[in-house]
Amino acid sequence: MTVELISVGTELLLGNIVNTNAAYLSEKCADLGLSCFYQSVVGDNGERLEGVLKMALERADIVILSGGLGPTEDDLTKEVAAKVMGRKLLMHIPSKKRIEEYFASRNIELTENNWKQAMMPEGAVAVDNENGTAPGVIIEDGEKKVILLPGPPNEMIPMFEKSIMPYLAGSDSGVIYSQTVKVCGVGESKAETLIKDMIDSQDNPTIATYAKNCEVHLRVTAKAAGEKEAKKLVKPVVKELKNRFGPCVYTTNADITLEKAVVDLLVANKLTVSTVESCTGGMLAARLINVSGVSDVYKSGYITYSNKAKRRILGIKKGLLEKKGAVSEEVAREMAKGAATISRAEVSVSITGIAGPGGGTEEKPVGLVYIACSVCGKIKVRKYNFRGNRAKIRETAVSSALILMRQCILEYYSEVTF
């Protein structure tokens, strides 16, 4: 089945709000096995919204609209949808009651325009909103389905996951099952080359590749009469992907992040870790500390941005800094060694580089980054030349540090070659 997404709101067109809803819904629809060929953004204008919705209904089985369900006059999504689908708007008593309770529980005055949110297209299904006042709406007309969702992500996402996903999962015959294989340390082009024959011959299951920052995610999706059968179709494909990518596969669980996989590896091997950063300014520490349970392994983090801090905190010699420069293999090595010494952690990781936009030279251009990892005294240093703006270089450096940390731990215990 095909799905089309329509995001409603003039603020989206003006760039005042980033359209995260479209990205979220696209991914979730793909998980459900729905094909999305078109997405639209339209402002708070009834005539234009009507035209976009009519066009979407001509080419998609399911149309999902987010935004425009509020109480004000420019919130027109429900009114336009009702018009296009040929339905009258009627007061929905359960929704009216929920709105009353919502305002009363918060001791907020309920104004007359709030009843607008309790109006429902005739014959439609109201979807409870547990985080706001605007209910969602499902309108069915033969084989066509129109789904209206509130715009705020903290309302839209819980509603979609609790009510809409189960509804859509049962809207087609058969079951869709997906499993994601996450690979790090391999570029998108190389990853595709390694599985080109599998992609060329795919039917059911299918393989979709998604490039992330220093990662490639491979989603394997199968359709079958039941979940058990769909899982059987996916299993051998996932096994083959793991065989081809080897230790570069860090998880087959879509909910596991790279930093979570690294923390799990530290915990499994009873290792503690410390970080020392220059150009990334604590971003590596932040990603690790974002993982629940990291307190069992994370000892300390240091930000030694200046040469003075590198000397004072880490004990790096002034002569080395003057001779080789702060951004060098030698200094990255000494940073990791110094962090390991003062923290007494089995694993230490250092990052030093030139994030730009200034500070680069012909010999040491913007994007030059050295990352070192020490595991029980065994140190590996890698040189990188990243591209992009300052934010991109820093983000890529952090992801690369996590990958190097993972590789070094695996090599230390099993001599795996990457």
Side-chain angles (χ1 to χ4, degrees), residues 67-380:
L69 297 183
T72 60
E73 289 186 7
D74 63 349
D75 290 308
L76 301 168
T77 301
K78 189 163 43 180
E79 289 77 5
V80 171
K83 179 182 177 182
V84 172
M85 303 298 283
R87 310 292 179 93
K88 295 179 180 179
L89 281 172
L90 305 173
M91 179 60 69
H92 186 249
I93 301 304
S95 293
K96 182 180 180 182
K97 184 177 180 181
R98 284 181 64 89
I99 291 172
E100 288 176 333
E101 293 172 348
Y102 181 92
F103 279 88
S105 65
R106 289 160 177 77
N107 196 28
I108 301 173
E109 181 184 358
L110 197 159
T111 56
E112 191 66 26
N113 59 356
N114 285 110
W115 298 131
K116 181 175 182 286
Q117 295 182 297
M119 301 297 287
M120 196 66 52
E122 188 177 14
V125 175
V127 183
D128 288 342
N129 185 347
E130 297 180 357
N131 298 281
T133 55
V137 182
I138 298 174
I139 309 172
E140 295 185 349
D141 186 6
E143 297 299 317
K144 300 289 184 176
K145 298 176 176 62
V146 175
I147 300 171
L148 314 182
L149 300 171
N154 63 346
E155 298 179 30
M156 186 276 292
I157 292 174
M159 181 185 292
F160 189 84
E161 293 184 351
K162 181 177 180 179
S163 303
I164 305 303
M165 280 192 75
Y167 166 75
L168 291 175
S171 66
D172 193 13
S173 58
V175 170
I176 302 292
Y177 175 76
S178 294
Q179 188 170 358
T180 300
V181 178
K182 295 187 179 183
V183 178
C184 64
V186 178
E188 183 184 17
S189 58
K190 183 178 179 181
E192 188 174 80
T193 300
L194 287 172
I195 60 170
K196 189 176 186 303
D197 59 315
M198 297 176 70
I199 292 175
D200 290 343
S201 62
Q202 67 182 352
D203 180 25
N204 185 29
T206 59
I207 305 172
T209 61
Y210 303 89
K212 305 291 182 178
N213 191 11
C214 297
E215 301 180 40
V216 177
H217 295 181
L218 309 164
R219 180 180 287 127
V220 184
T221 303
K223 182 176 181 179
E227 183 175 338
K228 187 176 181 180
E229 184 181 346
K231 285 183 176 180
K232 283 184 178 180
L233 292 172
V234 166
K235 187 176 180 180
V237 178
V238 170
K239 184 179 179 181
E240 179 60 21
L241 290 174
K242 291 171 72 175
N243 287 337
R244 296 197 183 194
F245 289 100
C248 291
V249 174
Y250 72 84
T251 187
T252 56
N253 184 334
D255 295 327
I256 299 294
T257 61
L258 178 58
E259 52 266 36
K260 168 65 173 171
V262 170
V263 169
D264 288 346
L265 190 60
L266 290 165
V267 171
N269 289 285
K270 298 180 180 179
L271 299 170
T272 58
V273 64
S274 289
T275 57
V276 55
E277 305 174 63
S278 181
C279 63
T280 50
M283 292 171 63
L284 174 59
R287 278 188 65 173
L288 288 169
I289 292 171
N290 194 46
V291 178
S292 176
V294 74
S295 57
D296 292 335
V297 295
Y298 192 82
K299 295 196 77 171
S300 55
Y302 310 93
I303 301 174
T304 56
Y305 201 74
S306 67
N307 284 354
K308 184 177 180 180
K310 291 178 178 67
R311 296 196 309 269
R312 180 173 57 83
I313 297 174
L314 303 173
I316 298 177
K317 294 180 180 179
K318 183 178 180 180
L320 178 64
L321 287 164
E322 291 177 345
K323 182 179 180 180
K324 297 295 183 179
V327 182
S328 63
E329 177 181 342
E330 292 80 4
V331 169
R333 181 183 297 274
E334 291 302 309
M335 287 172 66
K337 189 184 295 184
T341 300
I342 59 179
S343 68
R344 296 185 180 181
E346 290 84 14
V347 179
S348 64
V349 184
S350 68
I351 303 174
T352 180
I354 305 169
T361 65
E362 186 175 342
E363 183 182 294
K364 294 185 178 183
V366 169
L368 175 65
V369 176
Y370 288 93
I371 302 174
C373 180
S374 172
V375 180
C376 300
K378 185 176 181 180
I379 303 177
K380 175 174 287 189

